[in-house]
Amino acid sequence: MSSALDVNAIRSDFPILEREVYGKRLVYLDNAATSQKPRQVIDALVRYYETYNANIHRAVHALGEEATAAYEEAREKVARFIGAPSSESVVFTRNTTEAINLVAYAWGRANVGEGDEIILTQMEHHSNLIPWQQLAAEKGATIRYIEITPEGTLELGNLSALFSPRTKLLAMPHVSNSLGTINPVEEIVAEASKRGVTTLIDGAQAMPHMPVDVQAVGADFYAFSAHKMLGPTGVGVLYARRELLEEMAPFLGGGEMILKVTFEGATWNDLPWKFEAGTPNIADVIAFGSAIDYLDALGMDNVRRHEVEVTAYALDRLRGLDDVTLYGPDDPEQRGGVVSFNFGDLHPHDVGTILDRHGVAIRAGHHCTQPLMRCLGVTGTARASFYIYNTQDEVDVLIEGLKAARDFFK
Ligand code: PLP
C-alpha cells in the first residue's frame, strides 16, 4: 500500500492496465520511456476530435475559437504547473529532443563560436548530447564533461575548473534516465550563472515525477516531454527566460510564427508563437492540459513520495537477489523512480525478454546513453522505472520474473 497515493483509484483510471500480456497481468515498468495515459487524457483527445476539431488562432468560427481557447488554456496550465512567470515563456515542441534542438539552432548558432566551450555531463541522454556535438563540430567549439563518481552521482569537486572565460553553455539532465540520479541542478546552475554562462536543463525525467519550479531551478532553458507525464506523444515543452526568447531568431519558418510578410521579408509573431511554426499538435496539447490537471489533483509531492516508496522497496528486493549489480545512488531519496541493474552474466535483453513473458515490461539496452554505458563498463542494463500506478506487488512480480530468468539460463 502506498501512503501517499490511492493507487487502486488511480489504476482504475488507466484502461491499459487491465490488459494481459501472454496471459499474464500487465506489469508496466517502462515509465521512463513513456507513461500510460488515464481515461481523462484519452477522453480529452476524443472530445476535441468529436466536438470542436479546428485549426487555431486564425479561425473566425466557433470551433476555431473553442480550439484556440483550449490550446492556450493548456499553455496556461503548463506555465502554472512549472512555475513559469508567464505563458509567454512556454513554447510547445514535439518532444524534449526538439526543444533542445530548438535551443541549439536558435540560440546556439548565434552565441557559440570557434574556440568556445560547452559543459555537459557524462550522463547525458543522446538528446542532450548530439545537438551540442553537432553545434560544436560546425562552429569549432569544444565540449567538456562533468564526470560521474562510482556511485553514479556527478563529480562536482572540480566543477569550477571546468569553466573558462570561453564557456558559453552548461547543459545537463535534472534526473538521469539510466542511473536515476537526481542532480543538484540549482547549485550547478548558480555556479554557471554567476560566470555569465547560459544554462539548459533536460527535465525529461524530472518534471513528470517531482515538484519542479523552473524559476527556483534558475536555468535559462528547461525542456521536457508530455508523453512521460500522462500526456500524449508528440508534445514537448521548452521553457525559456523571456529575454532569451526575445533575442533569439526563430527556429523554423512558415505560418503562425509571423506577424507581417511581404515579398521582401517578414516580421515575427509575439512570444511564444514566434517559435511555433505551422499548425501545432492541437489535440495532443489540449489533452496534455488534462494530464496536468490529473497530476495537479494528485499533488506532485505525493507523486514523489509514492515513487520513493516503490523505488526503496524495489532496491531492497533486488539487493536480496544474488548477483545483482545496481547502478546509481543507494539512497532512494537521491534518485527518481528508475532502477538500472544487471543480473549475473545474463544479457539485459534476455532478462527483458523473459520478464516480458511474465507480463513485465521493462527496458533493456543503453537507454540512449551509450557514452555513460562505456563509463560504467557495460554495453547496457535492464531498467525498471515506476510511476503513480505501480505497486509493491508489481515489484514482487518483477523479482519472481528475474528468478525465473536465472533458472531458465542456468
Ligand atoms: N532526456 C532524457 C533524460 C530522457 O530520458 C529522454 C527520453 O527518454 C529524452 C531526453 C528524450 O525525450 P523525447 O524522446 O521525448 O524527446
Side-chain angles (χ1 to χ4, degrees):
M1 267 304 283
S2 168
S3 56
L5 296 176
D6 182 348
V7 178
N8 284 337
I10 290 172
R11 289 183 70 86
S12 68
D13 286 332
F14 288 77
I16 205 168
L17 297 179
E18 317 234 313
R19 71 160 284 180
E20 296 191 342
V21 176
Y22 301 115
K24 303 272 170 40
R25 184 171 66 95
L26 169 67
V27 173
Y28 185 77
L29 304 180
D30 194 15
N31 294 286
T34 199
S35 75
Q36 297 303 343
K37 322 301 172 198
R39 169 76 64 207
Q40 290 82 339
V41 168
I42 300 164
D43 286 350
L45 279 173
V46 173
R47 203 161 45 243
Y48 167 76
Y49 283 122
E50 285 188 351
T51 66
Y52 61 103
N53 170 49
N55 212 329
I56 55 170
H57 293 147
R58 290 171 297 262
V60 292
H61 51 74
L63 267 52
E65 278 173 19
E66 285 173 30
T68 303
Y71 180 86
E72 292 303 334
E73 193 192 331
R75 196 193 308 276
E76 296 290 340
K77 285 178 187 174
V78 171
R80 266 198 311 276
F81 186 78
I82 69 173
S86 96
S87 59
E88 292 170 335
S89 282
V90 173
V91 176
F92 286 121
T93 62
R94 275 189 309 141
N95 44 40
T96 304
T97 306
E98 189 178 88
I100 296 171
N101 275 274
L102 189 163
V103 179
Y105 280 87
W107 179 87
R109 261 64 182 176
N111 290 284
V112 175
E114 193 173 350
D116 284 342
E117 292 170 9
I118 295 169
I119 299 177
L120 305 175
T121 73
Q122 286 184 334
M123 56 171 83
E124 297 312 325
H125 187 283
H126 298 160
S127 288
N128 198 34
L129 176 61
I130 307 299
W132 307 119
Q133 288 182 340
Q134 289 175 311
L135 176 68
E138 193 181 308
K139 296 288 187 172
T142 310
I143 300 180
R144 303 176 126 200
Y145 294 93
I146 304 176
E147 293 185 1
I148 55 161
T149 64
E151 291 75 45
T153 57
L154 291 175
E155 178 56 78
L156 296 174
N158 58 355
L159 178 64
S160 35
L162 286 179
F163 289 98
S164 88
R166 301 302 304 265
T167 311
K168 286 286 156 59
L169 174 78
L170 180 145
M172 61 176 291
H174 196 158
V175 174
S176 160
N177 66 307
S178 291
L179 299 168
T181 316
I182 302 175
N183 293 315
V185 282
E186 290 87 351
E187 194 186 305
I188 300 172
V189 164
E191 284 298 317
S193 302
K194 78 178 185 208
R195 294 171 169 85
V197 172
T198 300
T199 49
L200 178 144
I201 301 298
D202 168 358
Q205 297 296 344
M207 195 59 84
H209 301 286
M210 59 183 69
V212 176
D213 180 316
V214 289
Q215 291 192 84
V217 170
D220 296 300
F221 299 105
Y222 194 103
F224 58 99
S225 294
H227 70 92
K228 294 183 196 287
M229 48 194 294
L230 310 182
T233 50
V235 179
V237 173
L238 176 68
Y239 158 80
R241 271 203 308 117
R242 199 201 146 93
E243 305 85 86
L244 282 168
L245 288 179
E246 266 163 5
E247 272 165 42
M248 280 156 58
F251 172 39
L252 300 172
E256 192 78 359
M257 48 75 71
I258 46 78
L259 211 52
K260 186 162 184 283
V261 184
T262 65
F263 285 119
E264 287 72 41
T267 55
W268 312 136
N269 203 344
D270 294 334
L271 295 177
W273 305 291
K274 172 178 154 189
F275 293 99
E276 292 181 7
T279 300
N281 193 348
I282 304 166
D284 293 315
V285 165
I286 292 171
F288 181 36
S290 298
I292 298 276
D293 290 341
Y294 196 94
L295 288 171
D296 253 342
L298 297 180
M300 290 309 290
D301 280 316
N302 296 327
V303 169
R304 171 74 185 136
R305 291 304 344 135
H306 172 72
E307 283 186 29
V308 170
E309 280 174 28
V310 177
T311 306
Y313 183 72
L315 289 170
D316 271 356
R317 295 260 12 224
L318 283 163
R319 284 189 196 110
L321 293 175
D322 290 338
D323 225 9
V324 167
T325 308
L326 285 161
Y327 303 95
D330 286 339
D331 179 0
E333 297 287 346
Q334 280 185 43
R335 57 194 298 158
V338 169
V339 176
S340 259
F341 59 94
N342 271 311
F343 192 34
D345 54 6
L346 297 189
H347 193 285
H349 281 131
D350 291 336
V351 173
T353 307
I354 301 270
L355 287 173
D356 184 41
R357 291 283 161 172
H358 285 75
V360 183
I362 62 148
R363 183 140 294 223
H366 54 66
H367 318 299
C368 295
T369 53
Q370 287 183 24
L372 172 64
M373 292 296 127
R374 226 158 288 135
C375 294
L376 300 176
V378 296
T379 52
T381 69
R383 181 186 75 183
S385 52
F386 308 110
Y387 210 14
I388 51 175
Y389 33 71
N390 290 124
T391 62
Q392 298 192 357
D393 287 353
E394 290 182 310
V395 173
D396 292 338
V397 179
L398 166 73
I399 300 294
E400 290 314 307
L402 287 172
K403 288 180 184 164
R406 185 176 51 199
D407 294 346
F408 185 84
F409 287 104
K410 211 158 35 193

